[in-house]
Amino acid sequence: MSARLNFNVRLLDLLHVCCQMREDEQQQYLAVTGLSHYDPDVAAAMFWNLPGVKAVLLDDENRALAIGGYQEVAAGVWQSWMVGSPEAWERHWRAITKGSIALMDLMFDEFGARRLQTNSIASRTRAIDWYVRGLKMRPEGVMRGYGANGEDVATFALLKSERRTKRGQ
């Protein structure tokens, strides 16, 4: 199975992925937005309207495996977001990892990023492991009680100056 990044994100694909969003991603979405329940229509609309870079990782049949992107929160500093289904992660985790790294490289090389950052509620231990081991991001700490319901939120970043060393290039 090969996968490819595409910057022509379709709202239909985003809604489809949001309808299948993993439970831990839903919990994070609620912690960040402060909403009381998860609604895939509302989530898809919110992600669709985020400014910045959006990309979809497509499989051989042009099905969306994961959709994500970055929004610039300060000059050269980009915050990530991403949605995926349990099935996509179970069957295509390697392609999702490679696609995410490719997008990170593009952010540094084509979009002027000097820092890429992501947040995760601390309970998402598998996601946190992926940020550190898979994406080579550096843990920066925990914002205690940051989530809407008091969830602790862990922060991670990768600097452009660290990228080549981190990826063994």
Side-chain angles (χ1 to χ4, degrees), residues 61-89:
E61 285 84 40
N62 287 321
R63 291 179 299 213
L65 298 175
I67 301 175
Y70 287 91
Q71 69 180 101
E72 194 169 27
V73 295
V77 178
W78 294 77
Q79 176 71 41
S80 73
W81 63 272
M82 184 174 171
V83 294
S85 70
E87 179 186 359
W89 276 101

Side-chain angles (χ1 to χ4, degrees), residues 95-117:
I96 293 171
T97 300
K98 289 180 178 181
S100 297
I101 290 169
L103 179 57
M104 293 169 81
D105 286 341
L106 282 168
M107 294 304 300
F108 288 128
D109 296 337
E110 305 294 328
F111 292 95
R114 62 181 166 80
R115 173 188 168 91
L116 300 177
Q117 60 187 39

